[in-house]
Amino acid sequence: MDWQAWHHAYDSPDSWLTRRLHAVQDRIRDALDAAPRGPLRVASMCAGQGRDLVEVLADHPRRDDVRARLVELDPGNTAYAAESARRAGLSQVEVVTGDASLTDHYLDLAPADLILICGVFGNIVDADIERTVDACTRLCRTGGTVVWTRNRHAPDRVPVVCDWFEERGFERLWVSDPDAGFGVGAHRFTGGTGEEGELAADRRMFDFVGYDVLKAAGAGVGSRGAGA
């Protein structure tokens, strides 16, 4: 999969990907607006070109409060993200070319105020989705927000993902309509059970398989363009 070419759909204002981007950005703005005063920490997994967060921070009143790390494996996409952050004057946004599934990338940010998991859940198996949701109880501070995406093609896993978050002490803030053409969710961590502990080092949260591979294997991920 050419993940740089995948981003070309953002150039069309009517594409499903552009509409999803706007929904994600609205949730990011909501989270930043509601966050307490003072420094804020943000982590983005499989951040791609970073358009969701960088474009919001560029003109958000809390931009200077935010320390962010975008983790993405594709070097072309991280180059794009780094240049976008530089042009926006966001010196506190760090772009890392690496495996976003590894907890080591987030140890010094956890617990963070905002976690972005966009373009991940449609590309990994269910067991890894649940494992990543579980890790969010250690990645996210009490009162912090997780913004995530998942396609709604059959079998629609969005309701199940919501259940997994809510079973672990997350409050549903917003979920896109089933007929929106994409799935976007936002959940606020209310504190869990108190037994979560700190984020462990040297752990892998998921294996990024790819929706095209999952579809070919009969995992019901949906068509190209709907998987992220």
Side-chain angles (χ1 to χ4, degrees):
M1 175 62 64
D2 184 341
W3 290 107
Q4 294 177 55
W6 182 87
H7 285 75
H8 291 169
Y10 283 124
D11 298 329
S12 172
D14 297 323
S15 72
W16 73 270
L17 193 57
T18 297
R19 290 184 286 111
R20 192 192 76 173
L21 173 64
H22 293 160
V24 169
Q25 289 177 332
D26 286 345
R27 308 288 77 77
I28 293 173
R29 291 187 185 95
D30 289 346
L32 294 177
D33 290 345
R37 294 189 180 191
L40 301 174
R41 293 181 288 190
V42 179
S44 179
M45 299 182 194
C46 298
Q49 296 178 351
R51 301 188 189 209
D52 45 13
L53 182 62
V54 171
E55 290 179 9
V56 170
L57 288 179
D59 61 2
H60 195 278
R62 300 295 304 274
R63 55 173 283 154
D64 294 332
D65 294 333
V66 173
R67 174 193 172 201
R69 181 171 300 141
L70 284 60
V71 186
E72 162 65 34
L73 191 59
D74 187 288
N77 284 333
T78 55
Y80 183 105
E83 176 60 15
S84 296
R86 187 196 65 78
R87 284 189 279 106
L90 298 170
S91 59
Q92 73 281 25
V93 172
E94 177 188 6
V95 181
V96 173
T97 303
D99 184 346
S101 74
L102 300 178
T103 57
D104 286 3
H105 290 301
Y106 315 103
L107 292 176
D108 61 327
L109 291 176
D113 299 273
L114 176 61
I115 304 293
L116 303 179
I117 313 177
C118 301
V120 178
F121 289 166
N123 291 290
I124 63 179
V125 299
D126 281 3
D128 280 358
I129 298 175
E130 187 171 14
R131 182 164 55 173
T132 304
V133 171
D134 189 63
C136 286
T137 63
R138 295 172 290 281
L139 280 164
C140 190
R141 71 165 181 84
T142 299
T145 301
V146 178
V147 178
W148 54 275
T149 67
R150 163 71 198 217
N151 72 77
R152 303 209 70 152
H153 286 258
D156 183 358
R157 307 307 285 161
V158 168
V160 177
V161 175
C162 287
D163 288 343
W164 285 333
F165 272 109
E166 289 153 24
E167 288 167 0
R168 290 164 172 80
F170 285 84
E171 171 192 9
R172 187 183 311 192
L173 300 176
W174 190 87
V175 175
S176 57
D177 292 334
D179 59 355
F182 53 81
V184 174
H187 279 79
R188 177 187 294 125
F189 189 43
T190 63
T193 66
E195 300 177 355
E196 290 80 10
E198 296 183 357
L199 184 67
D202 196 27
R203 299 289 177 85
R204 179 180 294 278
M205 292 176 280
F206 56 84
D207 289 312
F208 193 98
V209 179
Y211 58 79
D212 50 344
V213 176
L214 292 173
K215 182 187 176 186
V221 177
S223 62
R224 185 194 183 283

mmCIF file of all heavy atoms in Angstrom, residues 159-208:
data_model
loop_
_atom_site.group_PDB
_atom_site.id
_atom_site.type_symbol
_atom_site.label_atom_id
_atom_site.label_comp_id
_atom_site.label_asym_id
_atom_site.label_seq_id
_atom_site.Cartn_x
_atom_site.Cartn_y
_atom_site.Cartn_z
ATOM 1 N N PRO A 159 -19.779 0.054 17.056
ATOM 2 C CA PRO A 159 -20.459 -0.153 18.350
ATOM 3 C C PRO A 159 -19.633 -0.988 19.323
ATOM 4 O O PRO A 159 -19.655 -0.739 20.534
ATOM 5 C CB PRO A 159 -21.755 -0.874 17.944
ATOM 6 C CG PRO A 159 -21.997 -0.465 16.531
ATOM 7 C CD PRO A 159 -20.627 -0.381 15.919
ATOM 8 N N VAL A 160 -18.896 -1.967 18.799
ATOM 9 C CA VAL A 160 -18.072 -2.815 19.667
ATOM 10 C C VAL A 160 -16.902 -2.021 20.237
ATOM 11 O O VAL A 160 -16.564 -2.146 21.423
ATOM 12 C CB VAL A 160 -17.562 -4.047 18.893
ATOM 13 C CG1 VAL A 160 -16.655 -4.903 19.768
ATOM 14 C CG2 VAL A 160 -18.726 -4.870 18.365
ATOM 15 N N VAL A 161 -16.281 -1.186 19.404
ATOM 16 C CA VAL A 161 -15.188 -0.350 19.889
ATOM 17 C C VAL A 161 -15.687 0.589 20.989
ATOM 18 O O VAL A 161 -15.024 0.783 22.016
ATOM 19 C CB VAL A 161 -14.554 0.444 18.737
ATOM 20 C CG1 VAL A 161 -13.495 1.411 19.267
ATOM 21 C CG2 VAL A 161 -13.926 -0.495 17.709
ATOM 22 N N CYS A 162 -16.871 1.151 20.787
ATOM 23 C CA CYS A 162 -17.466 2.000 21.833
ATOM 24 C C CYS A 162 -17.632 1.214 23.124
ATOM 25 O O CYS A 162 -17.320 1.717 24.212
ATOM 26 C CB CYS A 162 -18.816 2.545 21.367
ATOM 27 S SG CYS A 162 -18.717 3.833 20.100
ATOM 28 N N ASP A 163 -18.130 -0.019 23.017
ATOM 29 C CA ASP A 163 -18.302 -0.857 24.213
ATOM 30 C C ASP A 163 -16.974 -1.085 24.916
ATOM 31 O O ASP A 163 -16.900 -1.017 26.159
ATOM 32 C CB ASP A 163 -18.924 -2.201 23.837
ATOM 33 C CG ASP A 163 -20.388 -2.105 23.453
ATOM 34 O OD1 ASP A 163 -21.024 -1.078 23.768
ATOM 35 O OD2 ASP A 163 -20.900 -3.060 22.832
ATOM 36 N N TRP A 164 -15.923 -1.369 24.143
ATOM 37 C CA TRP A 164 -14.616 -1.638 24.748
ATOM 38 C C TRP A 164 -14.097 -0.414 25.503
ATOM 39 O O TRP A 164 -13.553 -0.553 26.602
ATOM 40 C CB TRP A 164 -13.616 -2.071 23.680
ATOM 41 C CG TRP A 164 -13.837 -3.480 23.201
ATOM 42 C CD1 TRP A 164 -14.416 -4.495 23.905
ATOM 43 C CD2 TRP A 164 -13.488 -4.017 21.930
ATOM 44 N NE1 TRP A 164 -14.450 -5.649 23.145
ATOM 45 C CE2 TRP A 164 -13.876 -5.383 21.922
ATOM 46 C CE3 TRP A 164 -12.894 -3.495 20.792
ATOM 47 C CZ2 TRP A 164 -13.675 -6.213 20.822
ATOM 48 C CZ3 TRP A 164 -12.692 -4.326 19.690
ATOM 49 C CH2 TRP A 164 -13.077 -5.665 19.713
ATOM 50 N N PHE A 165 -14.267 0.759 24.930
ATOM 51 C CA PHE A 165 -13.869 1.971 25.644
ATOM 52 C C PHE A 165 -14.698 2.152 26.914
ATOM 53 O O PHE A 165 -14.162 2.428 27.999
ATOM 54 C CB PHE A 165 -14.025 3.204 24.741
ATOM 55 C CG PHE A 165 -12.816 3.514 23.903
ATOM 56 C CD1 PHE A 165 -12.846 3.316 22.527
ATOM 57 C CD2 PHE A 165 -11.658 4.013 24.478
ATOM 58 C CE1 PHE A 165 -11.733 3.608 21.744
ATOM 59 C CE2 PHE A 165 -10.553 4.305 23.709
ATOM 60 C CZ PHE A 165 -10.580 4.100 22.328
ATOM 61 N N GLU A 166 -15.996 2.006 26.787
ATOM 62 C CA GLU A 166 -16.881 2.314 27.907
ATOM 63 C C GLU A 166 -16.769 1.290 29.028
ATOM 64 O O GLU A 166 -16.960 1.623 30.210
ATOM 65 C CB GLU A 166 -18.305 2.453 27.368
ATOM 66 C CG GLU A 166 -18.433 3.744 26.543
ATOM 67 C CD GLU A 166 -19.492 3.712 25.455
ATOM 68 O OE1 GLU A 166 -20.453 2.911 25.585
ATOM 69 O OE2 GLU A 166 -19.367 4.484 24.477
ATOM 70 N N GLU A 167 -16.413 0.050 28.708
ATOM 71 C CA GLU A 167 -16.166 -0.954 29.741
ATOM 72 C C GLU A 167 -14.926 -0.618 30.570
ATOM 73 O O GLU A 167 -14.770 -1.117 31.692
ATOM 74 C CB GLU A 167 -15.967 -2.325 29.093
ATOM 75 C CG GLU A 167 -17.252 -2.927 28.525
ATOM 76 C CD GLU A 167 -16.962 -4.115 27.616
ATOM 77 O OE1 GLU A 167 -15.765 -4.462 27.437
ATOM 78 O OE2 GLU A 167 -17.931 -4.694 27.086
ATOM 79 N N ARG A 168 -14.073 0.228 30.015
ATOM 80 C CA ARG A 168 -12.813 0.562 30.683
ATOM 81 C C ARG A 168 -12.812 1.968 31.285
ATOM 82 O O ARG A 168 -11.757 2.507 31.600
ATOM 83 C CB ARG A 168 -11.655 0.399 29.692
ATOM 84 C CG ARG A 168 -11.384 -1.066 29.351
ATOM 85 C CD ARG A 168 -10.530 -1.207 28.101
ATOM 86 N NE ARG A 168 -10.128 -2.594 27.905
ATOM 87 C CZ ARG A 168 -10.899 -3.532 27.372
ATOM 88 N NH1 ARG A 168 -12.146 -3.239 26.989
ATOM 89 N NH2 ARG A 168 -10.460 -4.774 27.230
ATOM 90 N N GLY A 169 -13.974 2.538 31.466
ATOM 91 C CA GLY A 169 -14.058 3.810 32.162
ATOM 92 C C GLY A 169 -14.014 5.033 31.275
ATOM 93 O O GLY A 169 -13.749 6.138 31.763
ATOM 94 N N PHE A 170 -14.276 4.867 29.976
ATOM 95 C CA PHE A 170 -14.336 6.000 29.065
ATOM 96 C C PHE A 170 -15.788 6.396 28.832
ATOM 97 O O PHE A 170 -16.660 5.540 28.651
ATOM 98 C CB PHE A 170 -13.675 5.667 27.730
ATOM 99 C CG PHE A 170 -12.175 5.631 27.777
ATOM 100 C CD1 PHE A 170 -11.503 4.488 28.190
ATOM 101 C CD2 PHE A 170 -11.426 6.733 27.418
ATOM 102 C CE1 PHE A 170 -10.120 4.436 28.232
ATOM 103 C CE2 PHE A 170 -10.042 6.705 27.455
ATOM 104 C CZ PHE A 170 -9.384 5.553 27.865
ATOM 105 N N GLU A 171 -16.019 7.681 28.808
ATOM 106 C CA GLU A 171 -17.348 8.237 28.555
ATOM 107 C C GLU A 171 -17.452 8.648 27.088
ATOM 108 O O GLU A 171 -16.586 9.336 26.561
ATOM 109 C CB GLU A 171 -17.556 9.464 29.447
ATOM 110 C CG GLU A 171 -18.806 10.268 29.139
ATOM 111 C CD GLU A 171 -18.816 11.606 29.850
ATOM 112 O OE1 GLU A 171 -17.779 11.984 30.444
ATOM 113 O OE2 GLU A 171 -19.857 12.279 29.795
ATOM 114 N N ARG A 172 -18.528 8.210 26.442
ATOM 115 C CA ARG A 172 -18.726 8.564 25.042
ATOM 116 C C ARG A 172 -19.081 10.044 24.925
ATOM 117 O O ARG A 172 -20.060 10.519 25.490
ATOM 118 C CB ARG A 172 -19.836 7.719 24.423
ATOM 119 C CG ARG A 172 -20.001 7.915 22.928
ATOM 120 C CD ARG A 172 -21.157 7.128 22.356
ATOM 121 N NE ARG A 172 -21.151 5.724 22.762
ATOM 122 C CZ ARG A 172 -21.925 4.789 22.209
ATOM 123 N NH1 ARG A 172 -22.777 5.121 21.254
ATOM 124 N NH2 ARG A 172 -21.873 3.538 22.644
ATOM 125 N N LEU A 173 -18.283 10.782 24.130
ATOM 126 C CA LEU A 173 -18.551 12.181 23.877
ATOM 127 C C LEU A 173 -19.248 12.393 22.544
ATOM 128 O O LEU A 173 -20.123 13.254 22.432
ATOM 129 C CB LEU A 173 -17.240 12.985 23.884
ATOM 130 C CG LEU A 173 -16.433 12.967 25.177
ATOM 131 C CD1 LEU A 173 -15.128 13.730 24.977
ATOM 132 C CD2 LEU A 173 -17.237 13.566 26.326
ATOM 133 N N TRP A 174 -18.855 11.623 21.546
ATOM 134 C CA TRP A 174 -19.396 11.818 20.195
ATOM 135 C C TRP A 174 -19.022 10.634 19.329
ATOM 136 O O TRP A 174 -17.905 10.123 19.409
ATOM 137 C CB TRP A 174 -18.818 13.086 19.589
ATOM 138 C CG TRP A 174 -19.462 13.534 18.305
ATOM 139 C CD1 TRP A 174 -20.551 14.334 18.167
ATOM 140 C CD2 TRP A 174 -19.030 13.226 16.970
ATOM 141 N NE1 TRP A 174 -20.826 14.554 16.832
ATOM 142 C CE2 TRP A 174 -19.909 13.886 16.076
ATOM 143 C CE3 TRP A 174 -17.993 12.464 16.441
ATOM 144 C CZ2 TRP A 174 -19.777 13.800 14.690
ATOM 145 C CZ3 TRP A 174 -17.852 12.368 15.068
ATOM 146 C CH2 TRP A 174 -18.735 13.033 14.202
ATOM 147 N N VAL A 175 -19.968 10.190 18.504
ATOM 148 C CA VAL A 175 -19.708 9.174 17.485
ATOM 149 C C VAL A 175 -20.448 9.597 16.222
ATOM 150 O O VAL A 175 -21.613 10.015 16.290
ATOM 151 C CB VAL A 175 -20.158 7.770 17.932
ATOM 152 C CG1 VAL A 175 -19.970 6.763 16.794
ATOM 153 C CG2 VAL A 175 -19.369 7.310 19.155
ATOM 154 N N SER A 176 -19.783 9.504 15.088
ATOM 155 C CA SER A 176 -20.402 9.900 13.827
ATOM 156 C C SER A 176 -21.595 9.003 13.502
ATOM 157 O O SER A 176 -21.677 7.858 13.943
ATOM 158 C CB SER A 176 -19.375 9.832 12.698
ATOM 159 O OG SER A 176 -18.807 8.536 12.605
ATOM 160 N N ASP A 177 -22.519 9.526 12.725
ATOM 161 C CA ASP A 177 -23.707 8.771 12.325
ATOM 162 C C ASP A 177 -23.322 7.572 11.474
ATOM 163 O O ASP A 177 -22.357 7.633 10.693
ATOM 164 C CB ASP A 177 -24.661 9.663 11.525
ATOM 165 C CG ASP A 177 -25.286 10.757 12.371
ATOM 166 O OD1 ASP A 177 -25.389 10.562 13.600
ATOM 167 O OD2 ASP A 177 -25.668 11.792 11.801
ATOM 168 N N PRO A 178 -24.079 6.473 11.580
ATOM 169 C CA PRO A 178 -23.753 5.279 10.791
ATOM 170 C C PRO A 178 -23.726 5.512 9.289
ATOM 171 O O PRO A 178 -23.013 4.820 8.563
ATOM 172 C CB PRO A 178 -24.864 4.301 11.183
ATOM 173 C CG PRO A 178 -25.299 4.736 12.538
ATOM 174 C CD PRO A 178 -25.183 6.233 12.529
ATOM 175 N N ASP A 179 -24.500 6.485 8.797
ATOM 176 C CA ASP A 179 -24.559 6.729 7.362
ATOM 177 C C ASP A 179 -23.624 7.847 6.914
ATOM 178 O O ASP A 179 -23.731 8.356 5.790
ATOM 179 C CB ASP A 179 -25.994 7.052 6.935
ATOM 180 C CG ASP A 179 -26.560 8.284 7.639
ATOM 181 O OD1 ASP A 179 -25.877 8.831 8.522
ATOM 182 O OD2 ASP A 179 -27.701 8.669 7.313
ATOM 183 N N ALA A 180 -22.673 8.229 7.759
ATOM 184 C CA ALA A 180 -21.763 9.335 7.421
ATOM 185 C C ALA A 180 -20.747 8.955 6.351
ATOM 186 O O ALA A 180 -20.150 9.812 5.721
ATOM 187 C CB ALA A 180 -21.035 9.819 8.670
ATOM 188 N N GLY A 181 -20.516 7.655 6.167
ATOM 189 C CA GLY A 181 -19.514 7.202 5.216
ATOM 190 C C GLY A 181 -18.162 6.945 5.849
ATOM 191 O O GLY A 181 -17.200 6.596 5.169
ATOM 192 N N PHE A 182 -18.082 7.104 7.163
ATOM 193 C CA PHE A 182 -16.848 6.868 7.930
ATOM 194 C C PHE A 182 -17.250 6.752 9.389
ATOM 195 O O PHE A 182 -18.377 7.092 9.768
ATOM 196 C CB PHE A 182 -15.850 8.017 7.756
ATOM 197 C CG PHE A 182 -16.440 9.379 8.051
ATOM 198 C CD1 PHE A 182 -16.553 9.837 9.353
ATOM 199 C CD2 PHE A 182 -16.906 10.185 7.029
ATOM 200 C CE1 PHE A 182 -17.111 11.081 9.637
ATOM 201 C CE2 PHE A 182 -17.461 11.433 7.291
ATOM 202 C CZ PHE A 182 -17.573 11.872 8.599
ATOM 203 N N GLY A 183 -16.328 6.288 10.207
ATOM 204 C CA GLY A 183 -16.578 6.230 11.645
ATOM 205 C C GLY A 183 -15.547 7.046 12.398
ATOM 206 O O GLY A 183 -14.340 6.856 12.215
ATOM 207 N N VAL A 184 -16.017 7.980 13.221
ATOM 208 C CA VAL A 184 -15.150 8.778 14.097
ATOM 209 C C VAL A 184 -15.773 8.763 15.485
ATOM 210 O O VAL A 184 -16.987 8.946 15.628
ATOM 211 C CB VAL A 184 -15.023 10.239 13.611
ATOM 212 C CG1 VAL A 184 -14.246 11.075 14.626
ATOM 213 C CG2 VAL A 184 -14.342 10.301 12.253
ATOM 214 N N GLY A 185 -14.951 8.542 16.496
ATOM 215 C CA GLY A 185 -15.436 8.553 17.865
ATOM 216 C C GLY A 185 -14.537 9.383 18.763
ATOM 217 O O GLY A 185 -13.347 9.585 18.465
ATOM 218 N N ALA A 186 -15.109 9.883 19.844
ATOM 219 C CA ALA A 186 -14.344 10.594 20.862
ATOM 220 C C ALA A 186 -14.823 10.115 22.223
ATOM 221 O O ALA A 186 -16.027 10.119 22.497
ATOM 222 C CB ALA A 186 -14.528 12.106 20.731
ATOM 223 N N HIS A 187 -13.887 9.677 23.063
ATOM 224 C CA HIS A 187 -14.195 9.193 24.404
ATOM 225 C C HIS A 187 -13.305 9.878 25.436
ATOM 226 O O HIS A 187 -12.106 10.059 25.205
ATOM 227 C CB HIS A 187 -13.991 7.678 24.495
ATOM 228 C CG HIS A 187 -15.136 6.879 23.962
ATOM 229 N ND1 HIS A 187 -15.345 6.661 22.622
ATOM 230 C CD2 HIS A 187 -16.151 6.242 24.612
ATOM 231 C CE1 HIS A 187 -16.421 5.919 22.463
ATOM 232 N NE2 HIS A 187 -16.933 5.651 23.651
ATOM 233 N N ARG A 188 -13.894 10.258 26.558
ATOM 234 C CA ARG A 188 -13.169 10.887 27.661
ATOM 235 C C ARG A 188 -12.937 9.863 28.766
ATOM 236 O O ARG A 188 -13.854 9.143 29.176
ATOM 237 C CB ARG A 188 -13.938 12.073 28.216
ATOM 238 C CG ARG A 188 -13.242 12.726 29.429
ATOM 239 C CD ARG A 188 -14.099 13.797 30.061
ATOM 240 N NE ARG A 188 -14.307 14.935 29.166
ATOM 241 C CZ ARG A 188 -15.480 15.409 28.807
ATOM 242 N NH1 ARG A 188 -16.588 14.836 29.246
ATOM 243 N NH2 ARG A 188 -15.568 16.447 28.005
ATOM 244 N N PHE A 189 -11.701 9.808 29.265
ATOM 245 C CA PHE A 189 -11.371 8.855 30.316
ATOM 246 C C PHE A 189 -11.828 9.392 31.670
ATOM 247 O O PHE A 189 -11.425 10.488 32.083
ATOM 248 C CB PHE A 189 -9.864 8.597 30.332
ATOM 249 C CG PHE A 189 -9.445 7.470 31.227
ATOM 250 C CD1 PHE A 189 -10.148 6.275 31.265
ATOM 251 C CD2 PHE A 189 -8.324 7.590 32.032
ATOM 252 C CE1 PHE A 189 -9.752 5.231 32.084
ATOM 253 C CE2 PHE A 189 -7.914 6.555 32.850
ATOM 254 C CZ PHE A 189 -8.635 5.373 32.878
ATOM 255 N N THR A 190 -12.643 8.619 32.370
ATOM 256 C CA THR A 190 -13.186 9.065 33.654
ATOM 257 C C THR A 190 -12.429 8.487 34.839
ATOM 258 O O THR A 190 -12.749 8.805 35.979
ATOM 259 C CB THR A 190 -14.665 8.695 33.774
ATOM 260 O OG1 THR A 190 -14.806 7.261 33.744
ATOM 261 C CG2 THR A 190 -15.490 9.308 32.645
ATOM 262 N N GLY A 191 -11.442 7.627 34.581
ATOM 263 C CA GLY A 191 -10.618 7.150 35.686
ATOM 264 C C GLY A 191 -10.479 5.657 35.807
ATOM 265 O O GLY A 191 -9.595 5.176 36.497
ATOM 266 N N GLY A 192 -11.311 4.904 35.123
ATOM 267 C CA GLY A 192 -11.169 3.454 35.139
ATOM 268 C C GLY A 192 -11.331 2.851 36.513
ATOM 269 O O GLY A 192 -12.013 3.381 37.382
ATOM 270 N N THR A 193 -10.639 1.735 36.740
ATOM 271 C CA THR A 193 -10.771 0.984 37.981
ATOM 272 C C THR A 193 -9.747 1.394 39.027
ATOM 273 O O THR A 193 -9.835 0.990 40.182
ATOM 274 C CB THR A 193 -10.616 -0.520 37.713
ATOM 275 O OG1 THR A 193 -9.273 -0.785 37.273
ATOM 276 C CG2 THR A 193 -11.592 -0.986 36.646
ATOM 277 N N GLY A 194 -8.742 2.152 38.610
ATOM 278 C CA GLY A 194 -7.661 2.507 39.539
ATOM 279 C C GLY A 194 -6.558 1.477 39.591
ATOM 280 O O GLY A 194 -5.584 1.630 40.314
ATOM 281 N N GLU A 195 -6.690 0.405 38.804
ATOM 282 C CA GLU A 195 -5.696 -0.664 38.803
ATOM 283 C C GLU A 195 -4.837 -0.662 37.534
ATOM 284 O O GLU A 195 -4.065 -1.576 37.308
ATOM 285 C CB GLU A 195 -6.388 -2.021 38.937
ATOM 286 C CG GLU A 195 -7.196 -2.168 40.221
ATOM 287 C CD GLU A 195 -7.922 -3.496 40.302
ATOM 288 O OE1 GLU A 195 -7.854 -4.254 39.309
ATOM 289 O OE2 GLU A 195 -8.540 -3.772 41.347
ATOM 290 N N GLU A 196 -4.986 0.372 36.698
ATOM 291 C CA GLU A 196 -4.324 0.356 35.407
ATOM 292 C C GLU A 196 -2.809 0.501 35.514
ATOM 293 O O GLU A 196 -2.063 -0.125 34.786
ATOM 294 C CB GLU A 196 -4.885 1.470 34.514
ATOM 295 C CG GLU A 196 -6.306 1.235 34.034
ATOM 296 C CD GLU A 196 -7.358 1.577 35.090
ATOM 297 O OE1 GLU A 196 -6.992 2.168 36.130
ATOM 298 O OE2 GLU A 196 -8.534 1.248 34.883
ATOM 299 N N GLY A 197 -2.330 1.336 36.432
ATOM 300 C CA GLY A 197 -0.898 1.537 36.594
ATOM 301 C C GLY A 197 -0.318 2.386 35.484
ATOM 302 O O GLY A 197 -1.022 3.000 34.693
ATOM 303 N N GLU A 198 1.012 2.438 35.415
ATOM 304 C CA GLU A 198 1.706 3.240 34.414
ATOM 305 C C GLU A 198 1.850 2.461 33.111
ATOM 306 O O GLU A 198 1.796 1.234 33.077
ATOM 307 C CB GLU A 198 3.084 3.636 34.942
ATOM 308 C CG GLU A 198 3.048 4.544 36.158
ATOM 309 C CD GLU A 198 4.428 4.964 36.595
ATOM 310 O OE1 GLU A 198 5.422 4.494 35.987
ATOM 311 O OE2 GLU A 198 4.536 5.761 37.544
ATOM 312 N N LEU A 199 2.058 3.211 32.044
ATOM 313 C CA LEU A 199 2.298 2.602 30.744
ATOM 314 C C LEU A 199 3.613 1.831 30.783
ATOM 315 O O LEU A 199 4.650 2.373 31.166
ATOM 316 C CB LEU A 199 2.354 3.690 29.667
ATOM 317 C CG LEU A 199 2.506 3.219 28.227
ATOM 318 C CD1 LEU A 199 1.265 2.474 27.766
ATOM 319 C CD2 LEU A 199 2.766 4.415 27.309
ATOM 320 N N ALA A 200 3.569 0.574 30.398
ATOM 321 C CA ALA A 200 4.758 -0.281 30.451
ATOM 322 C C ALA A 200 5.641 -0.043 29.234
ATOM 323 O O ALA A 200 5.152 0.205 28.124
ATOM 324 C CB ALA A 200 4.349 -1.747 30.516
ATOM 325 N N ALA A 201 6.939 -0.120 29.438
ATOM 326 C CA ALA A 201 7.896 0.029 28.347
ATOM 327 C C ALA A 201 7.978 -1.246 27.520
ATOM 328 O O ALA A 201 7.596 -2.339 27.960
ATOM 329 C CB ALA A 201 9.277 0.376 28.913
ATOM 330 N N ASP A 202 8.491 -1.088 26.305
ATOM 331 C CA ASP A 202 8.822 -2.222 25.436
ATOM 332 C C ASP A 202 7.629 -3.145 25.204
ATOM 333 O O ASP A 202 7.768 -4.369 25.238
ATOM 334 C CB ASP A 202 9.998 -3.005 26.043
ATOM 335 C CG ASP A 202 10.639 -3.937 25.022
ATOM 336 O OD1 ASP A 202 10.567 -3.655 23.821
ATOM 337 O OD2 ASP A 202 11.206 -4.973 25.452
ATOM 338 N N ARG A 203 6.468 -2.565 24.964
ATOM 339 C CA ARG A 203 5.270 -3.343 24.657
ATOM 340 C C ARG A 203 4.753 -2.951 23.278
ATOM 341 O O ARG A 203 4.819 -1.794 22.881
ATOM 342 C CB ARG A 203 4.171 -3.097 25.695
ATOM 343 C CG ARG A 203 4.569 -3.488 27.115
ATOM 344 C CD ARG A 203 4.671 -4.986 27.285
ATOM 345 N NE ARG A 203 5.122 -5.346 28.618
ATOM 346 C CZ ARG A 203 4.312 -5.476 29.669
ATOM 347 N NH1 ARG A 203 3.011 -5.266 29.536
ATOM 348 N NH2 ARG A 203 4.789 -5.810 30.853
ATOM 349 N N ARG A 204 4.198 -3.933 22.574
ATOM 350 C CA ARG A 204 3.572 -3.688 21.281
ATOM 351 C C ARG A 204 2.058 -3.750 21.463
ATOM 352 O O ARG A 204 1.521 -4.743 21.938
ATOM 353 C CB ARG A 204 4.023 -4.727 20.248
ATOM 354 C CG ARG A 204 3.388 -4.552 18.863
ATOM 355 C CD ARG A 204 3.885 -5.618 17.904
ATOM 356 N NE ARG A 204 5.304 -5.471 17.644
ATOM 357 C CZ ARG A 204 5.822 -4.618 16.758
ATOM 358 N NH1 ARG A 204 5.017 -3.826 16.067
ATOM 359 N NH2 ARG A 204 7.116 -4.539 16.583
ATOM 360 N N MET A 205 1.378 -2.679 21.084
ATOM 361 C CA MET A 205 -0.068 -2.629 21.257
ATOM 362 C C MET A 205 -0.820 -3.325 20.131
ATOM 363 O O MET A 205 -1.917 -3.856 20.338
ATOM 364 C CB MET A 205 -0.524 -1.163 21.354
ATOM 365 C CG MET A 205 -0.059 -0.462 22.622
ATOM 366 S SD MET A 205 -0.514 1.296 22.665
ATOM 367 C CE MET A 205 0.778 1.986 21.604
ATOM 368 N N PHE A 206 -0.249 -3.318 18.923
ATOM 369 C CA PHE A 206 -0.953 -3.906 17.784
ATOM 370 C C PHE A 206 0.037 -4.241 16.678
ATOM 371 O O PHE A 206 1.167 -3.735 16.660
ATOM 372 C CB PHE A 206 -2.026 -2.945 17.248
ATOM 373 C CG PHE A 206 -1.511 -1.587 16.859
ATOM 374 C CD1 PHE A 206 -0.940 -1.348 15.598
ATOM 375 C CD2 PHE A 206 -1.574 -0.522 17.751
ATOM 376 C CE1 PHE A 206 -0.457 -0.102 15.245
ATOM 377 C CE2 PHE A 206 -1.096 0.747 17.398
ATOM 378 C CZ PHE A 206 -0.537 0.953 16.149
ATOM 379 N N ASP A 207 -0.403 -5.080 15.760
ATOM 380 C CA ASP A 207 0.311 -5.349 14.516
ATOM 381 C C ASP A 207 -0.482 -4.710 13.381
ATOM 382 O O ASP A 207 -1.647 -5.056 13.163
ATOM 383 C CB ASP A 207 0.451 -6.855 14.262
ATOM 384 C CG ASP A 207 1.421 -7.513 15.217
ATOM 385 O OD1 ASP A 207 2.528 -6.978 15.391
ATOM 386 O OD2 ASP A 207 1.079 -8.563 15.787
ATOM 387 N N PHE A 208 0.131 -3.783 12.680
ATOM 388 C CA PHE A 208 -0.539 -3.084 11.583
ATOM 389 C C PHE A 208 -0.543 -4.009 10.374
ATOM 390 O O PHE A 208 0.481 -4.201 9.723
ATOM 391 C CB PHE A 208 0.181 -1.780 11.283
ATOM 392 C CG PHE A 208 -0.603 -0.841 10.397
ATOM 393 C CD1 PHE A 208 -1.345 0.193 10.952
ATOM 394 C CD2 PHE A 208 -0.596 -1.000 9.018
ATOM 395 C CE1 PHE A 208 -2.060 1.065 10.139
ATOM 396 C CE2 PHE A 208 -1.307 -0.139 8.208
ATOM 397 C CZ PHE A 208 -2.048 0.898 8.763
#
